[in-house]
PDB file of all heavy atoms in Angstrom:
ATOM      1  N   LEU A   1    -157.645-184.973  -6.052  1.00 94.00           N
ATOM      2  CA  LEU A   1    -156.715-184.345  -6.987  1.00 94.00           C
ATOM      3  C   LEU A   1    -155.750-185.362  -7.587  1.00 94.00           C
ATOM      4  O   LEU A   1    -154.579-185.068  -7.833  1.00 94.00           O
ATOM      5  CB  LEU A   1    -155.934-183.236  -6.272  1.00 94.00           C
ATOM      6  CG  LEU A   1    -156.775-182.072  -5.730  1.00 94.00           C
ATOM      7  CD1 LEU A   1    -155.889-181.043  -5.028  1.00 94.00           C
ATOM      8  CD2 LEU A   1    -157.570-181.402  -6.840  1.00 94.00           C
ATOM      9  N   THR A   2    -156.267-186.550  -7.856  1.00 94.00           N
ATOM     10  CA  THR A   2    -155.445-187.605  -8.441  1.00 94.00           C
ATOM     11  C   THR A   2    -154.743-187.132  -9.705  1.00 94.00           C
ATOM     12  O   THR A   2    -153.573-187.467  -9.951  1.00 94.00           O
ATOM     13  CB  THR A   2    -156.318-188.836  -8.770  1.00 94.00           C
ATOM     14  OG1 THR A   2    -156.958-189.284  -7.576  1.00 94.00           O
ATOM     15  CG2 THR A   2    -155.470-189.959  -9.349  1.00 94.00           C
ATOM     16  N   ASN A   3    -155.452-186.353 -10.500  1.00 94.00           N
ATOM     17  CA  ASN A   3    -154.881-185.848 -11.753  1.00 94.00           C
ATOM     18  C   ASN A   3    -154.363-184.421 -11.627  1.00 94.00           C
ATOM     19  O   ASN A   3    -154.171-183.725 -12.627  1.00 94.00           O
ATOM     20  CB  ASN A   3    -155.919-185.924 -12.874  1.00 94.00           C
ATOM     21  CG  ASN A   3    -156.223-187.360 -13.266  1.00 94.00           C
ATOM     22  OD1 ASN A   3    -155.326-188.203 -13.303  1.00 94.00           O
ATOM     23  ND2 ASN A   3    -157.489-187.653 -13.536  1.00 94.00           N
ATOM     24  N   GLY A   4    -154.141-183.989 -10.405  1.00 95.00           N
ATOM     25  CA  GLY A   4    -153.544-182.687 -10.183  1.00 95.00           C
ATOM     26  C   GLY A   4    -154.520-181.531 -10.348  1.00 95.00           C
ATOM     27  O   GLY A   4    -155.741-181.697 -10.303  1.00 95.00           O
ATOM     28  N   ILE A   5    -153.955-180.354 -10.570  1.00 97.00           N
ATOM     29  CA  ILE A   5    -154.727-179.122 -10.724  1.00 97.00           C
ATOM     30  C   ILE A   5    -155.010-178.894 -12.207  1.00 97.00           C
ATOM     31  O   ILE A   5    -154.104-179.004 -13.041  1.00 97.00           O
ATOM     32  CB  ILE A   5    -153.958-177.919 -10.148  1.00 97.00           C
ATOM     33  CG1 ILE A   5    -153.684-178.123  -8.655  1.00 97.00           C
ATOM     34  CG2 ILE A   5    -154.742-176.623 -10.378  1.00 97.00           C
ATOM     35  CD1 ILE A   5    -154.917-178.217  -7.782  1.00 97.00           C
ATOM     36  N   PRO A   6    -156.253-178.580 -12.575  1.00 96.00           N
ATOM     37  CA  PRO A   6    -156.558-178.301 -13.988  1.00 96.00           C
ATOM     38  C   PRO A   6    -155.742-177.114 -14.503  1.00 96.00           C
ATOM     39  O   PRO A   6    -155.355-176.220 -13.740  1.00 96.00           O
ATOM     40  CB  PRO A   6    -158.060-177.969 -13.970  1.00 96.00           C
ATOM     41  CG  PRO A   6    -158.576-178.587 -12.715  1.00 96.00           C
ATOM     42  CD  PRO A   6    -157.458-178.518 -11.726  1.00 96.00           C
ATOM     43  N   SER A   7    -155.488-177.116 -15.801  1.00 96.00           N
ATOM     44  CA  SER A   7    -154.768-176.003 -16.416  1.00 96.00           C
ATOM     45  C   SER A   7    -155.693-174.795 -16.558  1.00 96.00           C
ATOM     46  O   SER A   7    -156.919-174.910 -16.473  1.00 96.00           O
ATOM     47  CB  SER A   7    -154.255-176.403 -17.796  1.00 96.00           C
ATOM     48  OG  SER A   7    -155.345-176.559 -18.699  1.00 96.00           O
ATOM     49  N   HIS A   8    -155.094-173.627 -16.804  1.00 96.00           N
ATOM     50  CA  HIS A   8    -155.920-172.447 -17.005  1.00 96.00           C
ATOM     51  C   HIS A   8    -156.809-172.594 -18.235  1.00 96.00           C
ATOM     52  O   HIS A   8    -157.933-172.072 -18.265  1.00 96.00           O
ATOM     53  CB  HIS A   8    -155.038-171.196 -17.122  1.00 96.00           C
ATOM     54  CG  HIS A   8    -154.133-171.179 -18.301  1.00 96.00           C
ATOM     55  ND1 HIS A   8    -152.876-171.744 -18.284  1.00 96.00           N
ATOM     56  CD2 HIS A   8    -154.290-170.675 -19.548  1.00 96.00           C
ATOM     57  CE1 HIS A   8    -152.300-171.568 -19.453  1.00 96.00           C
ATOM     58  NE2 HIS A   8    -153.138-170.936 -20.247  1.00 96.00           N
ATOM     59  N   ASP A   9    -156.331-173.322 -19.252  1.00 96.00           N
ATOM     60  CA  ASP A   9    -157.166-173.567 -20.435  1.00 96.00           C
ATOM     61  C   ASP A   9    -158.390-174.393 -20.070  1.00 96.00           C
ATOM     62  O   ASP A   9    -159.486-174.162 -20.595  1.00 96.00           O
ATOM     63  CB  ASP A   9    -156.355-174.289 -21.518  1.00 96.00           C
ATOM     64  CG  ASP A   9    -155.371-173.373 -22.224  1.00 96.00           C
ATOM     65  OD1 ASP A   9    -155.617-172.146 -22.239  1.00 96.00           O
ATOM     66  OD2 ASP A   9    -154.363-173.875 -22.741  1.00 96.00           O
ATOM     67  N   THR A  10    -158.216-175.361 -19.172  1.00 96.00           N
ATOM     68  CA  THR A  10    -159.349-176.192 -18.746  1.00 96.00           C
ATOM     69  C   THR A  10    -160.371-175.352 -17.986  1.00 96.00           C
ATOM     70  O   THR A  10    -161.576-175.438 -18.240  1.00 96.00           O
ATOM     71  CB  THR A  10    -158.868-177.359 -17.870  1.00 96.00           C
ATOM     72  OG1 THR A  10    -158.003-178.197 -18.636  1.00 96.00           O
ATOM     73  CG2 THR A  10    -160.047-178.181 -17.360  1.00 96.00           C
ATOM     74  N   PHE A  11    -159.895-174.531 -17.051  1.00 97.00           N
ATOM     75  CA  PHE A  11    -160.822-173.655 -16.328  1.00 97.00           C
ATOM     76  C   PHE A  11    -161.587-172.767 -17.309  1.00 97.00           C
ATOM     77  O   PHE A  11    -162.818-172.648 -17.238  1.00 97.00           O
ATOM     78  CB  PHE A  11    -160.059-172.783 -15.324  1.00 97.00           C
ATOM     79  CG  PHE A  11    -159.679-173.471 -14.055  1.00 97.00           C
ATOM     80  CD1 PHE A  11    -158.348-173.777 -13.795  1.00 97.00           C
ATOM     81  CD2 PHE A  11    -160.639-173.811 -13.119  1.00 97.00           C
ATOM     82  CE1 PHE A  11    -157.984-174.417 -12.611  1.00 97.00           C
ATOM     83  CE2 PHE A  11    -160.288-174.455 -11.939  1.00 97.00           C
ATOM     84  CZ  PHE A  11    -158.950-174.757 -11.684  1.00 97.00           C
ATOM     85  N   GLY A  12    -160.872-172.132 -18.222  1.00 96.00           N
ATOM     86  CA  GLY A  12    -161.511-171.233 -19.176  1.00 96.00           C
ATOM     87  C   GLY A  12    -162.510-171.939 -20.069  1.00 96.00           C
ATOM     88  O   GLY A  12    -163.613-171.439 -20.317  1.00 96.00           O
ATOM     89  N   ARG A  13    -162.132-173.124 -20.558  1.00 95.00           N
ATOM     90  CA  ARG A  13    -163.005-173.866 -21.468  1.00 95.00           C
ATOM     91  C   ARG A  13    -164.273-174.335 -20.762  1.00 95.00           C
ATOM     92  O   ARG A  13    -165.382-174.211 -21.299  1.00 95.00           O
ATOM     93  CB  ARG A  13    -162.243-175.063 -22.048  1.00 95.00           C
ATOM     94  CG  ARG A  13    -163.034-175.871 -23.075  1.00 95.00           C
ATOM     95  CD  ARG A  13    -162.167-176.919 -23.749  1.00 95.00           C
ATOM     96  NE  ARG A  13    -161.611-177.886 -22.802  1.00 95.00           N
ATOM     97  CZ  ARG A  13    -160.346-177.910 -22.402  1.00 95.00           C
ATOM     98  NH1 ARG A  13    -159.492-176.986 -22.850  1.00 95.00           N
ATOM     99  NH2 ARG A  13    -159.915-178.809 -21.541  1.00 95.00           N
ATOM    100  N   VAL A  14    -164.128-174.861 -19.544  1.00 96.00           N
ATOM    101  CA  VAL A  14    -165.290-175.388 -18.818  1.00 96.00           C
ATOM    102  C   VAL A  14    -166.270-174.271 -18.486  1.00 96.00           C
ATOM    103  O   VAL A  14    -167.482-174.392 -18.706  1.00 96.00           O
ATOM    104  CB  VAL A  14    -164.847-176.128 -17.539  1.00 96.00           C
ATOM    105  CG1 VAL A  14    -166.062-176.458 -16.664  1.00 96.00           C
ATOM    106  CG2 VAL A  14    -164.109-177.401 -17.910  1.00 96.00           C
ATOM    107  N   PHE A  15    -165.766-173.149 -17.971  1.00 97.00           N
ATOM    108  CA  PHE A  15    -166.677-172.061 -17.603  1.00 97.00           C
ATOM    109  C   PHE A  15    -167.260-171.359 -18.821  1.00 97.00           C
ATOM    110  O   PHE A  15    -168.338-170.764 -18.735  1.00 97.00           O
ATOM    111  CB  PHE A  15    -165.971-171.065 -16.678  1.00 97.00           C
ATOM    112  CG  PHE A  15    -165.944-171.502 -15.240  1.00 97.00           C
ATOM    113  CD1 PHE A  15    -164.806-172.108 -14.708  1.00 97.00           C
ATOM    114  CD2 PHE A  15    -167.057-171.354 -14.434  1.00 97.00           C
ATOM    115  CE1 PHE A  15    -164.780-172.527 -13.386  1.00 97.00           C
ATOM    116  CE2 PHE A  15    -167.044-171.777 -13.111  1.00 97.00           C
ATOM    117  CZ  PHE A  15    -165.902-172.370 -12.585  1.00 97.00           C
ATOM    118  N   ALA A  16    -166.589-171.437 -19.961  1.00 95.00           N
ATOM    119  CA  ALA A  16    -167.164-170.890 -21.194  1.00 95.00           C
ATOM    120  C   ALA A  16    -168.309-171.762 -21.695  1.00 95.00           C
ATOM    121  O   ALA A  16    -169.250-171.270 -22.323  1.00 95.00           O
ATOM    122  CB  ALA A  16    -166.090-170.770 -22.269  1.00 95.00           C
ATOM    123  N   LEU A  17    -168.241-173.070 -21.401  1.00 95.00           N
ATOM    124  CA  LEU A  17    -169.251-174.011 -21.882  1.00 95.00           C
ATOM    125  C   LEU A  17    -170.375-174.249 -20.876  1.00 95.00           C
ATOM    126  O   LEU A  17    -171.484-174.655 -21.272  1.00 95.00           O
ATOM    127  CB  LEU A  17    -168.595-175.359 -22.219  1.00 95.00           C
ATOM    128  CG  LEU A  17    -167.629-175.368 -23.401  1.00 95.00           C
ATOM    129  CD1 LEU A  17    -166.921-176.720 -23.489  1.00 95.00           C
ATOM    130  CD2 LEU A  17    -168.360-175.087 -24.701  1.00 95.00           C
ATOM    131  N   LEU A  18    -170.121-174.020 -19.598  1.00 96.00           N
ATOM    132  CA  LEU A  18    -171.145-174.268 -18.573  1.00 96.00           C
ATOM    133  C   LEU A  18    -172.408-173.476 -18.869  1.00 96.00           C
ATOM    134  O   LEU A  18    -172.351-172.281 -19.180  1.00 96.00           O
ATOM    135  CB  LEU A  18    -170.634-173.867 -17.195  1.00 96.00           C
ATOM    136  CG  LEU A  18    -169.893-174.894 -16.345  1.00 96.00           C
ATOM    137  CD1 LEU A  18    -169.484-174.254 -15.030  1.00 96.00           C
ATOM    138  CD2 LEU A  18    -170.734-176.124 -16.088  1.00 96.00           C
ATOM    139  N   ASP A  19    -173.554-174.140 -18.753  1.00 94.00           N
ATOM    140  CA  ASP A  19    -174.831-173.468 -18.947  1.00 94.00           C
ATOM    141  C   ASP A  19    -174.993-172.393 -17.864  1.00 94.00           C
ATOM    142  O   ASP A  19    -175.045-172.693 -16.670  1.00 94.00           O
ATOM    143  CB  ASP A  19    -175.968-174.484 -18.864  1.00 94.00           C
ATOM    144  CG  ASP A  19    -177.320-173.865 -19.183  1.00 94.00           C
ATOM    145  OD1 ASP A  19    -177.788-173.038 -18.391  1.00 94.00           O
ATOM    146  OD2 ASP A  19    -177.898-174.220 -20.227  1.00 94.00           O
ATOM    147  N   ALA A  20    -175.056-171.138 -18.291  1.00 92.00           N
ATOM    148  CA  ALA A  20    -175.085-170.018 -17.333  1.00 92.00           C
ATOM    149  C   ALA A  20    -176.339-170.034 -16.470  1.00 92.00           C
ATOM    150  O   ALA A  20    -176.294-169.691 -15.285  1.00 92.00           O
ATOM    151  CB  ALA A  20    -174.962-168.693 -18.087  1.00 92.00           C
ATOM    152  N   LYS A  21    -177.472-170.408 -17.045  1.00 91.00           N
ATOM    153  CA  LYS A  21    -178.713-170.449 -16.267  1.00 91.00           C
ATOM    154  C   LYS A  21    -178.656-171.548 -15.212  1.00 91.00           C
ATOM    155  O   LYS A  21    -179.149-171.380 -14.091  1.00 91.00           O
ATOM    156  CB  LYS A  21    -179.915-170.636 -17.201  1.00 91.00           C
ATOM    157  CG  LYS A  21    -180.225-169.414 -18.063  1.00 91.00           C
ATOM    158  CD  LYS A  21    -181.515-169.601 -18.832  1.00 91.00           C
ATOM    159  CE  LYS A  21    -181.820-168.394 -19.700  1.00 91.00           C
ATOM    160  NZ  LYS A  21    -182.088-167.188 -18.881  1.00 91.00           N
ATOM    161  N   GLN A  22    -178.040-172.685 -15.547  1.00 93.00           N
ATOM    162  CA  GLN A  22    -177.894-173.754 -14.560  1.00 93.00           C
ATOM    163  C   GLN A  22    -176.962-173.329 -13.428  1.00 93.00           C
ATOM    164  O   GLN A  22    -177.229-173.604 -12.250  1.00 93.00           O
ATOM    165  CB  GLN A  22    -177.348-175.022 -15.226  1.00 93.00           C
ATOM    166  CG  GLN A  22    -178.352-175.797 -16.038  1.00 93.00           C
ATOM    167  CD  GLN A  22    -177.811-177.163 -16.445  1.00 93.00           C
ATOM    168  OE1 GLN A  22    -176.741-177.573 -16.016  1.00 93.00           O
ATOM    169  NE2 GLN A  22    -178.551-177.853 -17.289  1.00 93.00           N
ATOM    170  N   PHE A  23    -175.876-172.663 -13.786  1.00 94.00           N
ATOM    171  CA  PHE A  23    -174.934-172.218 -12.766  1.00 94.00           C
ATOM    172  C   PHE A  23    -175.597-171.192 -11.850  1.00 94.00           C
ATOM    173  O   PHE A  23    -175.411-171.211 -10.629  1.00 94.00           O
ATOM    174  CB  PHE A  23    -173.691-171.635 -13.438  1.00 94.00           C
ATOM    175  CG  PHE A  23    -172.502-171.505 -12.520  1.00 94.00           C
ATOM    176  CD1 PHE A  23    -172.146-172.525 -11.652  1.00 94.00           C
ATOM    177  CD2 PHE A  23    -171.720-170.358 -12.534  1.00 94.00           C
ATOM    178  CE1 PHE A  23    -171.045-172.408 -10.808  1.00 94.00           C
ATOM    179  CE2 PHE A  23    -170.616-170.221 -11.698  1.00 94.00           C
ATOM    180  CZ  PHE A  23    -170.282-171.257 -10.829  1.00 94.00           C
ATOM    181  N   GLU A  24    -176.388-170.307 -12.437  1.00 91.00           N
ATOM    182  CA  GLU A  24    -177.147-169.345 -11.649  1.00 91.00           C
ATOM    183  C   GLU A  24    -178.137-170.051 -10.726  1.00 91.00           C
ATOM    184  O   GLU A  24    -178.321-169.663  -9.558  1.00 91.00           O
ATOM    185  CB  GLU A  24    -177.881-168.381 -12.575  1.00 91.00           C
ATOM    186  CG  GLU A  24    -178.915-167.501 -11.912  1.00 91.00           C
ATOM    187  CD  GLU A  24    -178.331-166.511 -10.936  1.00 91.00           C
ATOM    188  OE1 GLU A  24    -177.121-166.237 -11.024  1.00 91.00           O
ATOM    189  OE2 GLU A  24    -179.085-166.025 -10.076  1.00 91.00           O
ATOM    190  N   ALA A  25    -178.785-171.123 -11.233  1.00 90.00           N
ATOM    191  CA  ALA A  25    -179.746-171.879 -10.427  1.00 90.00           C
ATOM    192  C   ALA A  25    -179.045-172.522  -9.220  1.00 90.00           C
ATOM    193  O   ALA A  25    -179.619-172.593  -8.127  1.00 90.00           O
ATOM    194  CB  ALA A  25    -180.436-172.941 -11.272  1.00 90.00           C
ATOM    195  N   CYS A  26    -177.811-172.978  -9.409  1.00 90.00           N
ATOM    196  CA  CYS A  26    -177.043-173.537  -8.293  1.00 90.00           C
ATOM    197  C   CYS A  26    -176.757-172.461  -7.250  1.00 90.00           C
ATOM    198  O   CYS A  26    -176.835-172.716  -6.039  1.00 90.00           O
ATOM    199  CB  CYS A  26    -175.736-174.129  -8.810  1.00 90.00           C
ATOM    200  SG  CYS A  26    -175.938-175.552  -9.904  1.00 90.00           S
TER     201      CYS A  26
END
């Protein structure tokens, strides 16, 4: 956590962009 905790915008943006099929495969 060198750069601390991500902002809520970062969480929202990353999960909006994450490939849903890949995440399901994980």
Side-chain angles (χ1 to χ4, degrees):
L1 298 179
T2 302
N3 291 322
I5 300 297
S7 69
H8 64 273
D9 285 335
T10 297
F11 281 109
R13 183 172 60 254
V14 170
F15 278 99
L17 293 172
L18 271 180
D19 185 292
K21 290 187 181 295
Q22 284 191 7
F23 196 44
E24 169 66 20
C26 295

